[in-house]
Structure formats: structure tokens, C-alpha cells
Amino acid sequence: MFQHVLVQEILANGIESGINLDTPVRTIASADDVSCFSLESWKGRFGISASFFSVPERIGTDEVDSSVAVKNVAQSLIRPRSEMVADSAITVQAWEGVVLEVFDKFLAVKLIDKTDRSAQDTVAELDIGEIDADDADLVRPGAIFYWYLSYEHRPSGKKRSSMIRFRRTPSWTADDLKRTEAYANELFRGFKIAELPST
Amino acid sequence: MSCSGVSKLPSFQAPDHDQVEVVVLGPRYGEAVCVHLGDNRWLTIDSCLYGKSAEPAALFYLKQIGVSPSSIELACVTHWHDDHVRGVSQLVEEAVNAKIVIPEALGRQEFMVLAARFGGESLTGGAKELLRLYRDFGKDRGFVLAGESKLICKDSTSAGAVEVWAMSPSSAEVQQCLVDIGNMMPKVGDPQGAAPRKRPNHLAMVLFVKVGNAQMLFGADLEQVGSQSLGWNAVISAEAAKSTQSTLFKVPHHGSSTAYNPLVWSKMLSPEATSIVTPFHSGRSKLPTESEIKVLKGHTPHLFLTTNQALVRPKISKPSFVEQEIKARTVEKTGLFQEPVEPGLVRCRYTDASTWDVGLFASAIAL
């Protein structure tokens, strides 16, 4: 099974654009359109193993460090088999969440409704027991997660399912740090400081 | 007595050209302030998003009263926490004539590196808004770097002589901030993500505004720190503080006890100063608490809250399956709540009798 995912989309939006419950990897652009990489060797519908054939050198006007791009995408997409859901799962509700505060027994979170885009942001206090052990080290203020409520159709009948998964962000590399510092220095060089009035 | 009356007002009206007005908007997460300096010249302090409009609160208010964002001359950002900078890049974009006032440390190269590293990732981080300011306006707009006892603006309008002073951060706070920035910098191998939240808020920029006889102190989120050279202790002992006697006070840090210093009330404010608190509600953190309100009421009977904390947050209605699942997974089966749909605002207008005429809109209340 091959799917093509535009690197730009993945880099911009992380796993959310690459995975949703109905079509685990959305086809955003074909390989003929731009330089794309292909995903193959699915190990379960959400247990993705990726192989990358090429990464564009430029996205729009921005240069892309291909090694960083591949690494970022790989870290975003390779996920454990525990995330597998049934073939015919129907997502009833999806949120993107951000952790506001971490308490002993719960997380204060803000939820952005991905099912109803017109809905206002909401807040909730999620029981800490709902967080998968695999994700425990990812839980911190500012962490981004996805929460899906689905119906799974199994031979034994319809079953409700809830899945909360935290976004796996790439780690900082020496190149990342150098690149962001150079960008900040460029901003600083062009920074215009206004004069204060005399007292 | 610095407060002449309180009324629930049915609609917004622009102030007269020679009338000083202060509007404080605080929807329980974040705050924004608009100050009319006279002659349709405005100053804004901080930014939050307002209710269903999801528009920067200051723009929301000014548009309601028919004032163009181009009338904003100074857009002040007191510190970089998310609840004080949401929407500020949009505000500055529309406020085409505004100079941007930031604490000195935020104009340092070190902070720009921090913003570059944390400004792209987080959904909610204040670094993102600051990075936008640097990127989109850093070359063309003037940035005013403010600190302790620095005069930011000196002018006059038909409302009187105008002076805007920064009372903080002190030079010691700037140095401390640079140390903190160094500690917050990610290292190779650290996970990318949002910037860690740093406390206490000793970087926050307190502003003193004087227009004619009207004196106003805006406490930002500045907290009380043990050292004499940091926090409110530094402000009180600063030279610029000695001549202030404000009759209007935006209470610092959502009325929290960590920002309380009785000397501010006795030395920098007139007795019974009109005082406004913006509540903070995130998760189970709720400010101010009842005991904190009691302490503030000990200083003034003219204490106002921009949005009533007692408002029941409206529940979200979802299909039954979703509601059951949500209840099963939230603490004490509390479910989901919308952010308050009707945040309030407190409007204060300076009168000829040297008092503040206070108007409460929507869910704003007197305490």
C-alpha cells in the first residue's frame, strides 16, 4: 500500500494532516506533482513505518534541509502498534488539544474541535488515567495531543473507542539550534528602536 | 473618594475629545486595556481575544465605539505570557500608526533567539506572537524599549498634559530575565515544543499614565519578590514612583496574593482608588480567590471585576455517545465547558470633579 504525502503539509501540520482515522494517511499530492516521499510497509493501520525516497529542496521560497525534514517526518509518523484501530472505525468526534497545566490527578486542557470547525474552543479536565503509558513522558504544559471518539465495527459487534495520543515532536538538533539563532540574529539586525522623549 | 458612581450601561459610546477614559477587558483568560489620552489618541496595554468575536479585545472595543485602530499611538506589551499577548500581532497590524512598547529584555538578541525557537511550534505560546511582531514589524515600526523610570511619551492633548512612564522592569530584573532565558534555551536532544512557563512574573512592565490631573497605574502581572531590586519592591523605591498618586489602579496579576504589596496602596495610590481586577481561570487555577478579594477590599470600596467568576460556564452539547465518553474521561465527570461567552468590561471616565465614573458592561461586577 502506497500513499503520497507532501512534505510541506506534514512539516506544517505534523501528524494531524498525515493521519486521520478514516484514511490513515491522506493523499495530499501525487508523486507526479512535486518531489514527494512515499510511505510504505504499513504495520497496522496506524503503526507506520516510513521510507523516504526524496524530499524537495525548497518548499515555496524556503530552503529545506532534507536530512532534517526526513528526520522530522519520520519522528512524526512512526508510531507504535498500540495505536491500531479497527478497519471500519468511524470517527464521531475529534479534537486537537493543548495541555494548559498538569496536576497530580488530571490535566487542564484546551480542546479545538476538529469535527465542528465552527465550534468555540473548549476547556476540560482530563483524568490523568486516560493517558497512555507510552505518552506519559510527553505530558507537559504546551504539549499537543489528539483525542478521537469512534465507533469500531468488529465481528463481535459495534464498540465505542476513545483514543488520546500525544504528538511526538522531533528533538532539537545542533543544526536546528544554529538555524534558529541565525534567524533571530537576522531579526535583531533589522530591529528598529524608537527614540524615547527627553525628560 | 475617587469613584463617583457605577452604572450598567446599555451601549458603548465614544468618550468626548477631552475626556480621559480607561477600559479594562478581561474575559477570565488574559486582559487588555484601552486608554483615551484625549483628541481620539489611544494607548493600548496587552491583548487578549474577546468572546465569540475572537478578535483582539482592544480592537473589538474601539470598533464598537467607532474608533479606527489607526488612532492607537502606543501599543504596549507588558510581558510575553500567552494570556497577555494573544492577538497582539493582529492589533499592531491594524494599528498602523502605533509604536510598539516592550520591556527592554524583550528587545534583546537573547530573547529573539528564544522566540525563534519556541515561536513556531506552540498553539498557545506567547513566543509565537512576539516572533510575529519582530518578523512583521521589526524593520518598519519603532519599538520602544522600556524599563524602570523611563518616560515613554510626553505630549499634550485637549484632556491635558500627557506623560506615560514605565515603572519596571528594573535593570536587575532585566539581568535576571537574561539568566532565565539562558536556562530556558533548549539543548540538543530536548524535545521541541512550547516554551516552559517561567514564574514569577518579574519581567512585567508596570505603566504609569498621567493625563491632566488623572493619574493611572497599570500593574501588569508584576509580582512581589523578596529582593529589593526586583518586583514591586523595585517599583516602590524607584525615583519615578515618588511623585505618583494614582486614583485608578489596574490590580496586578489578576489580584493574586503573590502580587500584593501594601506599600503600593499606601505610597503610590490615593485612598480608595478605583481598582480593577481581571480574573484568571485556567483549569483549576482561579484568581482572585475570595481571601484575595477580601484583602483588596480592605484598601478600597471601589473594586471591580471585569468578568463575574460566579458565572456558570456553559456546557457543550454533543451527541449522547460523545457526552457519555467525555464524562467518563473528565475529572468528577465535569464534561466540557465553553470559555465564557459573555465576558465583561469595566469602563472608567475621568470627571470634572476629579473622580472616576465607572460603567460595567455585560458580566462585569462590583465586588
Side-chain angles (χ1 to χ4, degrees):
Chain A
M1 182 177 182
F2 284 82
Q3 297 278 351
H4 304 288
V5 179
L6 183 61
V7 172
Q8 180 181 8
E9 195 73 11
I10 288 288
L11 288 177
N13 298 315
I15 62 167
E16 203 274 336
S17 64
I19 297 175
N20 76 37
L21 284 176
D22 299 327
T23 50
V25 171
R26 194 170 66 205
T27 302
I28 295 165
S30 76
D32 298 331
D33 296 334
V34 288
S35 296
C36 286
F37 62 91
S38 300
L39 301 172
E40 58 178 344
S41 305
W42 290 67
K43 294 176 179 174
R45 284 157 199 83
F46 277 19
I48 302 170
S49 178
S51 63
F52 304 92
F53 296 120
S54 65
V55 171
E57 291 178 354
R58 302 187 75 80
I59 293 174
T61 57
D62 296 331
E63 286 186 18
V64 172
D65 180 332
S66 60
S67 62
V68 173
V70 167
K71 179 175 152 293
N72 286 350
V73 172
Q75 290 194 15
S76 293
L77 288 181
I78 296 173
R79 317 192 77 204
R81 286 183 60 87
S82 60
E83 294 179 29
M84 288 173 60
V85 297
D87 204 4
S88 54
I90 296 170
T91 306
V92 178
Q93 176 67 51
W95 288 282
E96 182 177 79
V98 60
V99 177
L100 301 174
E101 279 188 86
V102 181
F103 297 87
D104 288 345
K105 294 183 177 175
F106 68 94
L107 310 176
V109 300
K110 172 157 279 201
L111 299 171
I112 297 143
D113 200 319
K114 308 302 271 189
T115 313
D116 176 5
R117 303 266 170 175
S118 66
Q120 269 200 295
D121 294 354
T122 57
V123 288
E125 292 168 353
L126 269 182
D127 196 313
I128 207 123
E130 292 298 318
I131 309 305
D132 194 293
D134 289 348
D135 287 349
D137 58 339
L138 303 172
V139 177
R140 59 188 164 77
I144 296 162
F145 65 91
Y146 303 92
W147 184 8
Y148 300 97
L149 298 177
S150 310
Y151 280 121
E152 296 174 10
H153 292 284
R154 294 185 170 179
S156 55
K158 199 158 99 173
K159 185 175 181 295
R160 293 173 178 183
S161 98
S162 168
M163 184 175 74
I164 296 173
R165 293 318 309 248
F166 277 73
R167 180 170 171 180
R168 284 162 167 70
T169 52
S171 300
W172 285 100
T173 66
D175 282 347
D176 293 334
L177 297 178
K178 204 180 292 179
R179 193 181 65 252
T180 47
E181 184 167 358
Y183 179 55
N185 290 343
E186 190 185 321
L187 291 174
F188 184 72
R189 278 195 297 273
F191 193 59
K192 183 179 166 188
I193 297 173
E195 300 241 334
L196 290 169
S198 56
T199 47
Chain B
M1 176 87 169
S2 62
C3 183
S4 62
V6 178
S7 55
K8 285 272 183 187
L9 300 174
S11 62
F12 297 112
Q13 291 172 322
D16 293 336
H17 68 98
D18 59 350
Q19 189 167 39
V20 179
E21 176 181 283
V22 175
V23 171
V24 183
L25 306 101
R28 298 206 291 195
Y29 187 81
E31 64 185 43
V33 178
C34 299
V35 183
H36 181 233
L37 304 171
D39 299 336
N40 199 31
R41 298 166 67 178
W42 292 81
L43 169 156
T44 63
I45 304 170
D46 288 339
S47 183
C48 61
L49 302 181
Y50 202 71
K52 278 185 175 174
S53 72
E55 186 172 21
L59 293 182
F60 168 79
Y61 174 71
L62 293 175
K63 288 175 183 175
Q64 289 285 319
I65 61 170
V67 169
S68 165
S70 63
S71 300
I72 301 171
E73 296 195 352
L74 294 171
C76 305
V77 179
T78 64
H79 62 300
W80 63 287
H81 282 171
D82 177 56
D83 60 323
H84 286 252
V85 299
R86 277 196 170 188
V88 74
S89 56
Q90 186 188 337
L91 184 149
V92 168
E93 186 177 356
E94 295 194 38
V96 292
N97 296 317
K99 287 181 183 172
I100 304 159
V101 184
I102 57 175
E104 186 190 333
L106 300 192
R108 295 288 188 96
Q109 190 173 16
E110 293 91 333
F111 185 80
M112 291 187 192
V113 174
L114 189 81
R117 288 179 178 163
F118 291 116
E121 181 66 27
S122 168
L123 282 175
T124 59
K128 192 173 192 171
E129 287 284 349
L130 266 296
L131 186 64
R132 282 181 183 161
L133 287 185
Y134 302 142
R135 186 192 64 200
D136 297 343
F137 309 108
K139 284 183 181 171
D140 305 321
R141 297 282 187 94
F143 276 70
V144 176
L145 304 185
E148 179 187 303
S149 298
K150 276 197 177 171
L151 182 63
I152 293 168
C153 169
K154 189 174 184 180
D155 212 328
S156 73
T157 68
S158 52
V162 176
E163 288 184 13
V164 180
W165 290 82
M167 311 297 283
S168 68
S170 66
S171 53
E173 282 162 337
V174 173
Q175 292 309 312
Q176 182 62 49
C177 179
L178 295 177
V179 171
D180 290 342
I181 288 171
N183 292 333
M184 291 165 76
M185 289 292 186
K187 299 173 185 63
V188 172
D190 286 350
Q192 294 186 20
R197 200 174 169 92
K198 197 74 192 168
R199 284 183 172 170
N201 298 319
H202 52 64
L203 176 67
M205 177 175 66
V206 171
L207 291 165
F208 171 69
V209 179
K210 186 176 177 183
V211 185
N213 292 326
Q215 296 192 27
M216 299 146 267
L217 185 65
F218 299 96
D221 265 4
L222 190 68
E223 291 187 270
Q224 176 61 20
V225 183
S227 166
Q228 288 301 308
S229 59
L230 301 173
W232 279 104
N233 286 340
V235 171
I236 292 161
S237 57
E239 192 59 33
K242 290 175 182 164
S243 56
T244 69
Q245 195 67 195
S246 295
T247 54
L248 186 141
F249 186 33
K250 201 294 288 177
V251 177
H253 199 235
H254 317 288
S256 83
S257 58
T258 60
Y260 173 71
N261 185 323
L263 293 179
V264 174
W265 292 86
S266 60
K267 290 192 170 182
M268 298 182 71
L269 301 173
S270 70
E272 302 189 354
T274 296
S275 302
I276 303 147
V277 180
T278 58
F280 179 85
H281 190 166
S282 176
R284 295 205 168 175
S285 300
K286 288 179 188 170
L287 296 172
T289 62
E290 284 186 17
S291 60
E292 287 164 340
I293 290 171
K294 197 174 171 185
V295 170
L296 297 175
K297 284 182 80 172
H299 290 286
T300 178
H302 310 302
L303 186 65
F304 303 94
L305 196 64
T306 52
T307 297
N308 186 355
Q309 287 177 298
L311 277 182
V312 175
R313 291 181 294 175
K315 287 210 171 192
I316 304 288
S317 179
K318 287 284 182 187
S320 61
F321 154 51
V322 175
E323 290 213 344
Q324 287 166 21
E325 290 293 318
I326 292 167
K327 280 187 180 173
R329 287 167 170 78
T330 50
V331 176
E332 295 167 4
K333 303 189 187 306
T334 46
L336 302 183
F337 297 97
Q338 284 179 346
E339 296 289 13
V341 289
E342 196 184 29
L345 64 89
V346 177
R347 189 186 73 185
C348 306
R349 285 180 169 172
Y350 200 62
T351 69
D352 293 339
S354 299
T355 60
W356 291 97
D357 184 22
V358 178
L360 303 176
F361 289 79
S363 56
I365 56 167
L367 291 168

